[in-house]
Amino acid sequence: MPDSVSENQSTPPVVQCRRVVIVGGGLAGLAAASALSSRGLAVTVLESRPRLGGRASSIVDRETGETIDNCQHVAMGCCTSFRHFCEETGCAELFETQRELYFVGPPEQPNIVRFAASSMPAPLHLASSFLRMPWFTLGEKRQIAFGLRALAKDRSKADCSFQEWLAGQRQTETVQRRFWHLVLVSALSESLDRISFQHARKVFVDGFLASREGWQVSIPTVPLDDVYETRIAATLRKSGVEIRTKAGVRALFTDSGEVTGVELRDGSHVAGDEFILAVPHYLVRGLLPTDVSQLTAMAALDQLETAPIASVHLWYDQPLTELPHATFVDRLSQWMFNRTVLSAGQAAAGEDREAVNESGCRLQVVISAAHDLSALSEQEVVARVDLELRDVWPDKREAKLLRGRMITEHRAVFSPLPGVDEIRPEQQSPIPNLQFAGDWTRTGWPATMEGAVRSGYLAAGNILGRCGSSESVVPADLPSARLYRWLFS
Ligand SMILES: Cc1cc2nc3c(=O)[nH]c(=O)nc-3n(C[C@H](O)[C@H](O)[C@H](O)COP(=O)(O)OP(=O)(O)OC[C@H]3O[C@@H](n4cnc5c(N)ncnc54)[C@H](O)[C@@H]3O)c2cc1C
C-alpha cells in the first residue's frame, strides 16, 4: 500500500461512533477507555495477560507470598495527564505526594541531604537545598547553575546527544556524573550519550525549573495491581467498559480501507467501529495488515531502541531506615524505596508507623539504564546493593538480609536517543478508524506513565473528533512561574 493512505485523512468525515475496541490494557489503553466511556461511548478493552496495567504491574513473590511490583513506578508533579487520569478513575488517594527528597552523597561523603522547596518562586525554589549538597565544590555548584540557565535559555530545535551539549557548556566529568546523569538516568533510563538534548531539557524545565510543584514525586502506597488491576478496572467497569483479560489479539481485519474487527488468539472475533491499538511498539507491526505494516512510517518503529530497568527487592529482619525513599550519588543503587514505610502510610492509616516497621522491612532499589547488569548474576547484584545500603546506614550492619531478588524488565522503556521523536508515529494511524496509543507514540513525553496516559487521551480525542466533537481531552500543563517566564521566555 502506498504511503498516501495517510494523506487521504486531511478532512475526515464525521462518523457515527458506536463501539470502540481497545487492544491493550496498559495505561495508554486504560486512559483511552476512561476518556471515551466518560463521554458516553461504548468501549471494550482486550488485554492478552490475566491482569491490567501492562508494564506497571505486580507479581506475587512465591517465597514470601507478598505482592511486589515489577518495579517502583513514580510520577512527577508535572505529569498532569496522569494525575487527571488517577482522579477520574478514583485512585488518586492510593498515591502519596512526596514534598521532600533525600539525597545520599557519594561513598566518601555519605551525608544525607533533605531536598525540599523553599518559599522562593520557581526557578529558585530548590536552590537552597541544592546549595546544601556538600559533595559539590563551590565551583561545581556554579557550573551546574550556569548549565541550568543555558539549558532553560536554549530553545533551539537541534537534537544532539545531551552529552555533546554538556561538553559545550564546560561541565566537568564529576558534575556530569553526579548531577546531570543522576537526575536523567532515573527520569529517562539512559546514559547521557543516549539521551537527546530535547528530552533532557524537558526533564529539567518541566520538572525542576518552570514551576514549584513539577519536581514533587507521587508514589503509590499500595502494589501497582491494587491501582490498575483492582481500583481502575472496577471504576471502568462501573462506567460500562467491557474489560476482557486473557484476550490476546492475533490480527486486525480491514475492509475497504477501514478496520472492521479483530481476531483473538482463541479464534473468536470482536467487531467495532473505532479501534485503538495500545500494545508495545515492537508488537504493533505484527498485528497490522501487511500493506500497512510495510509503510515507511511503520517500518521505522523497528528503529526504536529500548533500555532495561532492574529492581532489587530486599527483605530485612529489622528496619534499615525510617526514610521513605532516597537517591544515591555515585553508586550502583540509584533509588531506594522503603516499601514498608510507604505502605504503612496507607494500610495503617491511623496506626503507628513504627509499630508496622518493627517486624522488619522491605526495600526496593531501582537501577535504571541497567545495560551493564547483564554481566552480573542476580546474587552478585543483590550482594552489591545490600553492601551499599549497609554502608549508608552503618548502625544497621547487624541487620539480617532474609531474602533478595532482582526483576529486570529488558525492554522497559524506549531509549530517548537524538532524533527519536521523528520515528514516533502520531496517534492517528494510516487507517482512518484506527488510532495508536502507547508511550512510544508522539506525545512530546518520554516513556513514562504520563506519556502513556497522554497518548491514550490523544487517541480518544481523535476518535471524539471523528464523531464530531472538538473537545480536547488532554488537560493543561502546569503553568510556568512568572519569574521563570521573565528570566527565560
Ligand atoms: C521497570 C519499569 C520501571 C518504570 N518506571 C517508571 C516510573 O517510575 N515512572 C513512569 O512514569 N514510568 C515508568 N515506567 C514506564 C511505564 O511503565 C510505561 O511508560 C507505561 O506503563 C507504558 O504504558 P503503555 O500502555 O504505553 O504500554 P504497556 O504497559 O506495555 O501496555 C501494553 C499492553 O498491551 C498488552 N498487549 C500486548 N499485546 C497484546 C495483544 N496482542 N492483545 C491484547 N493485548 C496485548 C500488554 O499485555 C500490555 O498490558 C517504567 C517501566 C518499567 C518497565
Side-chain angles (χ1 to χ4, degrees):
M1 188 184 280
D3 279 33
S4 59
V5 176
S6 55
E7 285 158 20
N8 299 332
Q9 299 159 17
S10 47
T11 50
V14 172
V15 295
Q16 252 213 326
C17 291
R18 293 180 302 272
R19 177 151 295 274
V20 183
V21 176
I22 300 174
V23 182
L27 288 184
L30 296 176
S34 167
L36 292 168
S37 62
S38 65
R39 288 166 178 82
L41 277 77
V43 178
T44 298
V45 176
L46 303 171
E47 165 56 47
S48 57
R49 295 193 205 171
R51 28 164 59 99
L52 301 172
R55 272 170 278 163
S57 56
S58 315
I59 56 163
V60 175
D61 177 61
R62 279 211 197 114
E63 206 167 303
T64 59
E66 268 185 73
T67 302
I68 60 172
D69 294 335
N70 63 338
C71 188
Q72 184 66 70
H73 275 63
V74 306
M76 291 176 76
C78 52
C79 297
T80 52
S81 292
F82 180 71
R83 192 174 63 212
H84 177 269
F85 172 60
C86 291
E87 280 162 5
E88 291 287 292
T89 51
C91 68
E93 69 190 31
L94 302 179
F95 289 79
E96 200 174 86
T97 300
Q98 308 293 315
R99 294 183 174 82
E100 289 179 358
L101 302 182
Y102 304 91
F103 284 86
V104 178
E108 68 277 13
Q109 222 174 341
N111 315 48
I112 300 181
V113 170
R114 182 180 150 272
F115 189 81
S118 68
S119 55
M120 298 286 276
L124 303 176
H125 57 306
L126 298 171
S128 56
S129 277
F130 164 66
L131 288 170
R132 279 201 300 274
M133 291 178 170
W135 50 88
F136 290 121
T137 64
L138 202 60
E140 287 171 341
K141 286 174 182 163
R142 202 177 303 133
Q143 253 181 64
I144 294 168
F146 278 118
L148 285 169
R149 192 183 65 163
L151 190 61
K153 278 182 171 268
D154 191 338
R155 293 167 171 278
S156 63
K157 294 275 171 261
D159 209 8
C160 56
S161 85
F162 193 55
Q163 193 162 48
E164 283 173 78
W165 184 87
L166 285 174
Q169 303 300 321
R170 296 205 217 118
Q171 305 282 305
T172 60
E173 201 272 326
T174 309
V175 163
Q176 291 197 23
R177 199 179 66 248
R178 290 186 174 174
F179 180 73
W180 301 102
H181 171 80
L182 178 84
V183 174
L184 291 174
V185 76
S186 299
L188 300 174
S189 192
E190 270 297 5
S191 47
L192 297 177
D193 57 323
R194 291 177 59 81
I195 291 175
S196 79
F197 165 74
Q198 299 298 344
H199 279 268
R201 184 176 186 277
K202 184 166 183 60
V203 171
F204 282 101
V205 169
D206 290 13
F208 296 93
L209 297 173
S211 71
R212 283 179 53 82
E213 303 84 33
W215 65 280
Q216 293 172 358
V217 169
S218 265
I219 307 181
T221 53
V222 295
L224 290 167
D225 264 9
D226 288 7
V227 181
Y228 303 117
E229 167 64 15
T230 310
R231 182 71 66 99
I232 292 184
T235 308
L236 292 179
R237 284 197 171 104
K238 217 182 272 175
S239 63
V241 177
E242 182 194 12
I243 297 175
R244 292 175 58 184
T245 50
K246 296 189 197 163
V249 169
R250 189 152 57 194
L252 266 55
F253 286 111
T254 51
D255 186 20
S256 311
E258 296 241 315
V259 180
T260 52
V262 300
E263 183 187 39
L264 301 190
R265 288 176 192 153
D266 66 6
S268 61
H269 288 75
V270 178
D273 304 296
E274 298 287 323
F275 294 81
I276 299 179
L277 197 47
V279 301
H281 69 87
Y282 48 85
L283 297 177
V284 169
R285 293 185 72 201
L287 295 174
L288 291 172
T290 315
D291 50 0
V292 179
S293 84
Q294 284 170 354
L295 295 174
T296 316
M298 295 295 97
L301 281 179
D302 295 349
Q303 292 168 32
L304 276 181
E305 294 182 31
T306 55
I309 301 179
S311 64
V312 181
H313 301 255
L314 304 119
W315 286 260
Y316 289 95
D317 67 342
Q318 55 181 280
L320 250 59
T321 170
E322 290 298 312
L323 291 183
H325 45 77
T327 308
F328 299 98
V329 179
D330 266 358
R331 287 184 167 82
L332 175 69
S333 311
Q334 292 161 359
W335 271 78
M336 178 281 291
F337 296 94
N338 190 334
R339 286 312 312 171
T340 306
V341 167
L342 287 163
S343 47
Q346 177 79 25
E351 281 179 36
D352 179 3
R353 259 187 190 198
E354 282 182 24
V356 179
N357 243 353
E358 261 167 22
S359 55
C361 77
R362 178 164 66 84
L363 307 182
Q364 197 189 127
V365 170
V366 179
I367 305 170
S368 297
H371 300 281
D372 297 338
L373 284 194
S374 53
L376 300 173
S377 70
E378 179 178 6
Q379 288 90 331
E380 284 171 312
V381 178
V382 169
R384 276 184 63 178
V385 169
D386 175 43
L387 261 183
E388 289 185 336
L389 296 176
R390 291 171 193 275
D391 187 47
V392 173
W393 289 287
D395 55 326
K396 295 292 175 181
R397 284 222 171 94
E398 80 286 1
K400 199 168 161 205
L401 177 64
L402 303 173
R403 173 163 168 68
R405 71 174 285 187
M406 177 168 72
I407 301 175
T408 305
E409 294 281 352
H410 294 281
R411 291 193 279 196
V413 294
F414 68 79
S415 304
L417 292 160
V420 74
D421 289 341
E422 299 304 312
I423 302 173
R424 297 166 74 187
E426 302 283 352
Q427 287 71 34
Q428 176 60 66
S429 87
I431 303 174
N433 71 336
L434 175 68
Q435 308 294 324
F436 294 134
D439 57 1
W440 50 274
T441 60
R442 203 173 293 184
T443 60
W445 278 74
T448 49
M449 298 188 289
E450 171 71 12
V453 169
R454 269 185 192 235
S455 74
Y457 280 177
L458 288 165
N462 287 349
I463 291 180
L464 293 171
R466 282 171 50 76
C467 302
S469 162
S470 57
E471 189 188 349
S472 169
V473 181
V474 179
D477 291 336
L478 285 183
S480 300
R482 196 179 301 170
L483 179 62
Y484 174 84
R485 290 200 307 274
W486 183 73
L487 288 170
F488 300 121
S489 294

